[in-house]
Amino acid sequence: MNLKPETIEKIDKLVPRYPTKRSSALPLCHLVQEDQGYLSNEAMEWIAERLELEPINIKEIVTFYPMLRTEPTGKYHVRVCRTLPCALAGAYKTCQRLEKELDVKVGHTREDGLVTLEFVECHADCGRAPVVMVGEEEYTDIDPDKAAEMAAKMKSGELSNGLPH
Amino acid sequence: MKHADEPGYTNDIDCYIKYGGYDELKKAVTMKPEDICAEVMESGVRGRGGAGFPAGMKWKFLDRKSGKPIYLVCNADESEPGTFKDRQIIHKDPHQLIEGMMISAFAIQAELAFIYIRGEFFQGYRILERAIEEAREKNLLGDNILGSGYSCDIIVHRGAGAYICGEETGLIESLEGNRANPRIKPPYFPAALGLYQCPTIVNNVETLCDVKHIIGMGGKEFAQIGTPGNTGTRTWCVSGHVMKPGYYEFACADITLGELIYDVCGGLRPGRKLKAVIPGGSSAKVLRGDERFTGKLKDGTEFDWGIEDIPMDFDSLMAAGSMSGSGGVIIMDDSTDIVEALANINYFYAHESCGQCTPCREGVPWMRKITQRMVDGEAREEDADLLNNIADQIAGRTICAFGEAASWPVQSFIAKFKDEFVEKAREQAARRKEGKAAAKETTLI
Amino acid sequence: MSENATSDLITINIDGKDVEVPKGINVIEAVKMAGKGKEVPHYCYHPKLSIAGNCRMCLVEMGMPMRDRATGEAVLDENGSQKVGWMPKPTIGCATNAAPGMHIKTGSPMVKESRNGVTEFLLINHPLDCPICDQAGECRLQEFSAEHGRGYSRFIEEKNVKPKRTRLGPRVTLDDERCILCSRCVRFSKEVADDDVLGFVDRGTYSTLTCYPGKELENNYSLNTVDICPVGALTSTDFRFKMRVWFLKRTNSICTESSVGSNTEIWSREGKIYRVTPRRNDAVNDTWMTDSGRALYKEVESEDRLTHYTIGGVHKTADEVAAGAVELLQQGDVAIVGSAHSSVEEQFYYKSIADSSGAKVSLVSHYAEGDGLLQSEDRTPNLRGALMTGLIDQLPDADLGSLARDIDSGAIKTLLVVNEDVAALGIAPDLLAKIKVIYVGTQTNDTAKDADLVIPSLMVFEKDGSFINQSFRLQKFKSAVPGPAGIQPDVMVLEKIAASLSGEQPAAVNLDQLWQRIATKIDAVPEAQTWRGIPDEGLALEPGTLVDLSFVETKNLKYDPVAFKEAQAAPAGA
């Protein structure tokens, strides 16, 4: 399991802060996912061993939380909010436009790995609906036209993929 | 929230202190913890996370005699659809939260405090981490705070996209590293058996910020704001079909729903009429735009309101048959297909159910399948009654309030808009007869 | 009994009648205690596991006596009795502990509706597998659907699809669609078997029971999850599709794997055993047993069963072989190799034979590592029986070295061997050839092959008898299936031998009468004890001085040697 030294350092600093080892399971999943892009079986087993747990304990939580993924995403991880306030503002039209412009079905990754498009639940910014997130960046008030602009920027590589370096 | 949107206000500690920040913490550490608790009790402040339970009473239930360490947890897992107020505090004025937390931690003599922040607030997480370090440097947090002898650290713990982590025992389970399955109460009341089976207080972001203000002005003063039983200010988050959606802070009962929609939020879109309002996040019962609300308030006074007349506070909205919940006001105008709106809401709850107990795990997805079938063109006239009956079988029978949260939208939508559900089935049958596709294109699901 | 129960009795009211129950007991147990066949239906609750409270089937209506909030005074109704404040929402019985004055309704409209609702919800995604599901006939979902279900379905949507008939472990098959997510198996694996290998993945209605890929449910207690699974999600691969349970006869027995003596049930039909399950005994094994113990029933049909009485390899009748044995034993210079697998009754006879023929008796120890649960270090079920009947007075050795020397020196002319392959235990075949060997046993081996007289023995499933387990508990077992054709129970043949040796007429063997004799021999057994009178949950005997022997058992699920010894030292009632 080759994690970056900074990740190992963060993990080693984090685990002792919690009263029990198991409490740091979810934060460790985040750190390893940020390092590797997703959580493979090897990653889950590594985390389990690090915390003296069984691999099933880690798999249980990884499959419970939607943000933790067991497969890599495309270069752009695009998430459109579909919950009622954003839907009222037209989120479904926004998503349809993104599907069309990016030539990918929602819930899938494009064949060439450029983009993964997903529907997600409320992002708690309903005042500026529709909300779209790319990586860790949030984009608000994305109507279909703005969505098309975003899509173009993704295809040209202009848009930041929203991941920290 | 008064400073957060002032031009030039930044979220670093120097700006916060410049505006008088941390004065209340300095005052609090000279007080006795029980006196702080008394102030909070006197203020009558109610939880702003959704349940509206008086914070002072929650703190009173804390088991201080067990000998086990006490924990304070800030519920920053803002996921109730329609709510986006905690986001503002975290991103724009994080020190207000930290100060409120440290005062609360001191009041309950917590050994350690946590902020459980939803995973999607990436920036918020970094802002909080930085704010905590700033506070630690100034000895406002960590060891021997301000020389008082009291030490308490804050750990920011990121969630990962589960709405059920907003439920206090689900949050505690998630913090412990398990699946976020809420616990049965009794016996697992957090005040007695919470985090690591130790006494724990879980409070919402806004509630903890209010603690700072309560110590600043005194519990009695705070109780003067708003009305008896509905004290302090609330930040209402308006979204949906209004011209100026956003978050707006008012003292309780200082504004009516009509004023909020038409005066503050610029009214509906041109040419549109008000069809429905969900006043407290999607879990709250829906109110019909043309409904008349009559009854008696807690103090005995009678009321007869149109939807615009309902005062925005805890008790009035409850008297009108809904609740103020998390303060997420969702406005729907007459362009909204009510069945689609309910289908959208049901999809959310079916997705977010943790799956632990039978009624929620099986019943909520069943409701989703029915509303999905209805918008897909196979609605039947009896589906409305079936949906209502299923919701009746879920509410009150589950481990946690998610059961009610998923049932109330269904029960209220059917109660108030049954005609639309029946009409949809008839319309689809008619279209099928004419040889047309039964399903029309949907916009909300 | 719930862990919180104490021995103080309090009064609660169930369906209008006052009942006395231990304080702190949960409502499900309280209603069971109240009797009259009333039951609170439940799936996830199990008396020996932690409370989960997730099936919501045990919902009952609860009320507490009303008190005025301000004064604390009781609120009375017009008849002068205290009003009961009923909770508006039902509460789960498994997590509600009895408190004085609590009122419970188990059949009110609210309760009926709740059960109706939960049953409907469980059935909507449940596959229509009853015709092919092994659980049929003992399925709680079937029973409670019939009793508390709506009777018709309102579900017209698509059911969830999950993995079916997967291998969860070498002995357990998992069908995820049938699983109702009660979490009994997960709690059992973690809390009792100490093998945290099961868990739920995914969320909500897609939650699925599974092991981590690459791991399996393979510990020696995996089949207990099959016992406790309320539906047919976890099934025994060995029993799969073999027999419908309503055809099976149930017989009480005792596991012979080790001195724990787990109480078991033998399920058989027309002389064939189909499976073995544990029987509840809170003093011995709770509701569990080992997988390896269950598998022992297969030996009944093993190829190398001894099936005929023989003398010199020639088939004889039982009487003829008994007479032949008596002849050899009367000549003196006899040694007996007894067995800790023999029942108390058989060991009583062997003692009588030893006394009559002046024989020296040795046993062989069969020790192995214990697992701290239900498989003790002593892999025989009745070593203490041999001690209490006086057959031996010391703990046995692992081999028969000293006996071999006696044979070698010519001191022994006849060897009576019970169920041990002495050829492999230090008595070389050429040594055996020098003497006469009477072999009593269930299966053939090198010793039996060359024995002069062979008396086939019945296995525990084929005869009546009793064992004394690690905590000196006398437990009886009944015969479930007949043995090989023509083979009599050991005690009948032994009666013929023992009686003739002591100059009496052999009589028909009646276990109750036999126990009259045993009771006089063993101090610890009550004078008037009959075999039939031994309770189904066993009878604890006083070990007396035997407790000071250095038994090999260490602490396991229900037995703590240190605590046991201390309890014997303290006089009763102190």
Side-chain angles (χ1 to χ4, degrees), chain A residues 2 10 21 29 31 35 39 50 55 66 69 74 78 81 84 92 97 108 125 135-136 138 147 153 159 162 164:
Chain A
N2 48 341
K10 279 192 209 160
K21 274 196 154 146
C29 287
L31 287 172
D35 185 293
L39 290 160
R50 176 73 177 76
R69 35 180 195 268
V78 182
C81 175
L84 188 61
Y92 277 82
R97 192 65 185 273
H108 292 86
D125 208 356
E136 298 186 1
E138 191 204 12
K153 289 208 186 116
L159 194 72

Short mmCIF file of all heavy atoms in Angstrom, two decimals, chain A residues 2 10 21 29 31 35 39 50 55 66 69 74 78 81 84 92 97 108 125 135-136 138 147 153 159 162 164:
data_model
loop_
_atom_site.label_atom_id
_atom_site.label_comp_id
_atom_site.label_asym_id
_atom_site.label_seq_id
_atom_site.Cartn_x
_atom_site.Cartn_y
_atom_site.Cartn_z
N ASN A 2 1.04 1.90 -1.12
CA ASN A 2 1.97 3.04 -1.07
C ASN A 2 1.22 4.36 -0.95
O ASN A 2 0.79 4.96 -1.92
CB ASN A 2 2.94 3.04 -2.25
CG ASN A 2 2.22 2.82 -3.57
OD1 ASN A 2 1.10 2.35 -3.58
ND2 ASN A 2 2.85 3.19 -4.65
N LYS A 10 -0.28 12.55 8.45
CA LYS A 10 -1.59 13.02 8.92
C LYS A 10 -2.29 11.92 9.71
O LYS A 10 -2.89 12.16 10.75
CB LYS A 10 -2.47 13.41 7.72
CG LYS A 10 -2.18 14.77 7.17
CD LYS A 10 -3.28 15.18 6.19
CE LYS A 10 -2.70 16.13 5.15
NZ LYS A 10 -3.50 16.20 3.94
N LYS A 21 -9.64 3.87 18.90
CA LYS A 21 -9.05 3.76 17.57
C LYS A 21 -10.13 3.74 16.51
O LYS A 21 -10.00 4.33 15.45
CB LYS A 21 -8.24 2.45 17.49
CG LYS A 21 -6.84 2.59 17.99
CD LYS A 21 -5.97 1.44 17.53
CE LYS A 21 -4.53 1.89 17.49
NZ LYS A 21 -3.60 0.86 17.82
N CYS A 29 -10.59 6.84 6.25
CA CYS A 29 -11.13 6.53 4.93
C CYS A 29 -11.05 7.77 4.04
O CYS A 29 -10.68 7.68 2.86
CB CYS A 29 -12.58 6.07 5.03
SG CYS A 29 -12.77 4.42 5.71
N LEU A 31 -8.90 10.28 4.30
CA LEU A 31 -7.50 10.57 3.98
C LEU A 31 -6.97 9.62 2.93
O LEU A 31 -6.29 10.02 1.97
CB LEU A 31 -6.64 10.49 5.25
CG LEU A 31 -6.83 11.65 6.23
CD1 LEU A 31 -6.10 11.37 7.54
CD2 LEU A 31 -6.32 12.96 5.63
N ASP A 35 -5.84 10.35 -0.97
CA ASP A 35 -4.51 9.97 -1.43
C ASP A 35 -4.58 9.13 -2.69
O ASP A 35 -3.85 9.36 -3.66
CB ASP A 35 -3.83 9.19 -0.28
CG ASP A 35 -2.40 8.84 -0.58
OD1 ASP A 35 -2.17 8.03 -1.48
OD2 ASP A 35 -1.51 9.38 0.09
N LEU A 39 -11.18 3.85 -2.60
CA LEU A 39 -10.79 2.89 -1.57
C LEU A 39 -10.86 1.48 -2.13
O LEU A 39 -11.92 0.89 -2.25
CB LEU A 39 -11.73 3.04 -0.36
CG LEU A 39 -11.52 4.33 0.42
CD1 LEU A 39 -12.73 4.67 1.26
CD2 LEU A 39 -10.30 4.22 1.31
N ARG A 50 -4.46 -1.14 10.49
CA ARG A 50 -3.90 0.00 11.21
C ARG A 50 -4.69 0.28 12.50
O ARG A 50 -4.14 0.71 13.50
CB ARG A 50 -3.97 1.24 10.29
CG ARG A 50 -3.53 2.55 10.89
CD ARG A 50 -2.02 2.60 11.05
NE ARG A 50 -1.57 3.88 11.57
CZ ARG A 50 -1.67 4.29 12.82
NH1 ARG A 50 -2.25 3.52 13.70
NH2 ARG A 50 -1.22 5.47 13.19
N PRO A 55 -11.50 -6.37 8.52
CA PRO A 55 -11.79 -5.69 7.24
C PRO A 55 -13.28 -5.46 7.03
O PRO A 55 -13.67 -4.46 6.43
CB PRO A 55 -11.22 -6.66 6.19
CG PRO A 55 -10.23 -7.48 6.90
CD PRO A 55 -10.67 -7.56 8.33
N PRO A 66 -22.18 7.48 0.92
CA PRO A 66 -22.05 7.69 -0.52
C PRO A 66 -20.76 8.38 -0.95
O PRO A 66 -20.29 8.18 -2.05
CB PRO A 66 -23.25 8.57 -0.86
CG PRO A 66 -24.21 8.36 0.23
CD PRO A 66 -23.40 8.07 1.45
N ARG A 69 -15.93 5.98 -2.09
CA ARG A 69 -16.15 5.17 -3.27
C ARG A 69 -15.11 4.08 -3.39
O ARG A 69 -13.96 4.23 -2.97
CB ARG A 69 -16.15 6.04 -4.54
CG ARG A 69 -15.19 7.18 -4.48
CD ARG A 69 -15.17 8.06 -5.70
NE ARG A 69 -13.96 8.85 -5.63
CZ ARG A 69 -13.91 10.06 -5.07
NH1 ARG A 69 -15.00 10.61 -4.58
NH2 ARG A 69 -12.75 10.70 -4.99
N GLY A 74 -13.79 9.66 -12.93
CA GLY A 74 -13.13 10.31 -14.05
C GLY A 74 -12.33 11.51 -13.56
O GLY A 74 -12.29 11.81 -12.36
N VAL A 78 -18.35 15.20 -11.29
CA VAL A 78 -19.40 16.21 -11.30
C VAL A 78 -20.62 15.69 -10.56
O VAL A 78 -21.13 14.62 -10.88
CB VAL A 78 -19.80 16.55 -12.76
CG1 VAL A 78 -20.86 17.63 -12.77
CG2 VAL A 78 -18.58 16.99 -13.54
N CYS A 81 -26.99 18.35 -7.52
CA CYS A 81 -27.96 18.12 -6.45
C CYS A 81 -29.35 17.92 -7.04
O CYS A 81 -29.78 18.68 -7.90
CB CYS A 81 -27.97 19.32 -5.51
SG CYS A 81 -29.24 19.19 -4.25
N LEU A 84 -35.37 18.50 -3.56
CA LEU A 84 -36.50 19.33 -3.97
C LEU A 84 -36.17 20.79 -4.28
O LEU A 84 -36.53 21.28 -5.35
CB LEU A 84 -37.62 19.24 -2.91
CG LEU A 84 -38.93 19.92 -3.33
CD1 LEU A 84 -39.50 19.27 -4.57
CD2 LEU A 84 -39.95 19.87 -2.20
N TYR A 92 -32.91 19.17 -12.72
CA TYR A 92 -33.00 18.05 -13.66
C TYR A 92 -32.70 18.51 -15.08
O TYR A 92 -32.08 17.79 -15.86
CB TYR A 92 -34.38 17.38 -13.57
CG TYR A 92 -34.43 16.37 -12.44
CD1 TYR A 92 -34.66 16.78 -11.12
CD2 TYR A 92 -34.19 15.02 -12.67
CE1 TYR A 92 -34.66 15.87 -10.09
CE2 TYR A 92 -34.20 14.10 -11.64
CZ TYR A 92 -34.43 14.54 -10.35
OH TYR A 92 -34.44 13.63 -9.33
N ARG A 97 -28.77 18.69 -19.52
CA ARG A 97 -27.87 19.44 -20.39
C ARG A 97 -26.45 18.93 -20.25
O ARG A 97 -25.73 18.79 -21.24
CB ARG A 97 -27.95 20.92 -20.02
CG ARG A 97 -27.29 21.84 -21.01
CD ARG A 97 -28.01 21.81 -22.35
NE ARG A 97 -27.31 22.61 -23.33
CZ ARG A 97 -27.50 23.91 -23.51
NH1 ARG A 97 -28.35 24.57 -22.75
NH2 ARG A 97 -26.82 24.58 -24.44
N HIS A 108 -22.82 7.45 -14.39
CA HIS A 108 -21.75 6.72 -15.09
C HIS A 108 -20.51 7.57 -15.28
O HIS A 108 -20.55 8.78 -15.13
CB HIS A 108 -22.25 6.27 -16.47
CG HIS A 108 -23.31 5.23 -16.38
ND1 HIS A 108 -24.64 5.53 -16.24
CD2 HIS A 108 -23.25 3.88 -16.43
CE1 HIS A 108 -25.35 4.43 -16.20
NE2 HIS A 108 -24.53 3.41 -16.32
N ASP A 125 -27.17 24.40 0.14
CA ASP A 125 -26.95 25.75 -0.37
C ASP A 125 -28.14 26.12 -1.26
O ASP A 125 -27.98 26.74 -2.31
CB ASP A 125 -25.65 25.83 -1.16
CG ASP A 125 -25.04 27.23 -1.11
OD1 ASP A 125 -25.68 28.12 -0.53
OD2 ASP A 125 -23.94 27.42 -1.66
N GLY A 135 -15.41 17.91 -7.89
CA GLY A 135 -14.36 17.67 -6.90
C GLY A 135 -14.77 18.33 -5.61
O GLY A 135 -15.83 18.06 -5.07
N GLU A 136 -13.93 19.24 -5.10
CA GLU A 136 -14.28 19.91 -3.85
C GLU A 136 -14.82 21.31 -4.09
O GLU A 136 -15.15 22.02 -3.15
CB GLU A 136 -13.04 19.99 -2.94
CG GLU A 136 -12.51 18.61 -2.54
CD GLU A 136 -11.38 18.69 -1.53
OE1 GLU A 136 -11.02 19.81 -1.12
OE2 GLU A 136 -10.86 17.63 -1.15
N GLU A 138 -17.54 24.14 -5.34
CA GLU A 138 -18.99 24.24 -5.46
C GLU A 138 -19.33 25.33 -6.47
O GLU A 138 -18.75 26.41 -6.45
CB GLU A 138 -19.59 24.59 -4.10
CG GLU A 138 -21.09 24.46 -4.06
CD GLU A 138 -21.70 25.33 -2.95
OE1 GLU A 138 -20.97 26.18 -2.39
OE2 GLU A 138 -22.90 25.17 -2.68
N ALA A 147 -24.48 25.40 -17.28
CA ALA A 147 -24.01 24.01 -17.28
C ALA A 147 -23.26 23.72 -18.57
O ALA A 147 -22.21 23.07 -18.58
CB ALA A 147 -25.19 23.06 -17.12
N LYS A 153 -15.81 23.93 -20.66
CA LYS A 153 -14.54 24.13 -19.97
C LYS A 153 -13.93 22.82 -19.53
O LYS A 153 -12.71 22.68 -19.43
CB LYS A 153 -14.74 25.04 -18.75
CG LYS A 153 -15.03 26.47 -19.07
CD LYS A 153 -14.55 27.38 -17.93
CE LYS A 153 -14.96 28.79 -18.20
NZ LYS A 153 -15.90 29.30 -17.20
N LEU A 159 -11.41 23.94 -16.86
CA LEU A 159 -12.01 23.92 -15.53
C LEU A 159 -11.11 23.18 -14.56
O LEU A 159 -10.55 22.13 -14.87
CB LEU A 159 -13.39 23.24 -15.60
CG LEU A 159 -14.28 23.44 -14.37
CD1 LEU A 159 -14.80 24.86 -14.33
CD2 LEU A 159 -15.45 22.47 -14.41
N GLY A 162 -11.05 20.53 -9.19
CA GLY A 162 -11.56 20.68 -7.83
C GLY A 162 -10.84 19.87 -6.78
O GLY A 162 -11.33 19.72 -5.67
N PRO A 164 -7.50 19.18 -4.30
CA PRO A 164 -6.33 19.89 -3.79
C PRO A 164 -5.04 19.22 -4.25
O PRO A 164 -5.03 18.04 -4.56
CB PRO A 164 -6.49 19.76 -2.27
CG PRO A 164 -7.30 18.54 -2.07
CD PRO A 164 -8.17 18.39 -3.27
#
